Amino acid sequence: MLLPDNMQPELSIYYNGALVLKELKEMGSLSVMALYQSVKNKMSFPIFILCLDWLYLIDVAQINERGDIELCL
């Protein structure tokens, strides 16, 4: 869920999406697995994929021609 009302905020897609965004801002474009390696101690893989989906849907992140994840400019 994006904003769960019965669990901790740290488990929401908004919070975890912000963690993914932070890594993308610091590191630039990364492969999916390299990006997951940098956040894996903070979230599970299914939550990570949901975050990527959400960031793509709101036009914040995209996949470049090399297949890496990068911020939309």
Side-chain angles (χ1 to χ4, degrees):
M1 297 182 88
L2 291 178
L3 286 175
D5 48 331
N6 62 349
M7 51 200 235
Q8 301 164 342
E10 298 84 26
L11 300 177
S12 72
I13 301 301
Y14 282 133
Y15 177 82
N16 287 299
L19 296 175
V20 172
L21 280 176
K22 180 182 173 190
E23 290 297 321
L24 283 173
K25 284 180 83 172
E26 290 175 1
M27 306 297 275
S29 69
L30 294 167
S31 70
V32 174
M33 292 313 294
L35 182 56
Y36 178 65
Q37 290 294 324
S38 65
V39 297
K40 75 177 183 178
N41 60 346
K42 301 171 188 164
M43 68 186 79
S44 65
F45 191 71
I47 296 294
F48 171 71
I49 295 298
L50 284 173
C51 290
L52 289 181
D53 289 344
W54 178 63
L55 294 172
Y56 175 77
L57 287 172
I58 62 171
D59 289 329
V60 174
Q62 65 184 5
I63 299 174
N64 64 19
E65 60 279 346
R66 294 183 314 245
D68 293 340
I69 309 294
E70 64 183 10
L71 293 176
C72 294
L73 298 176

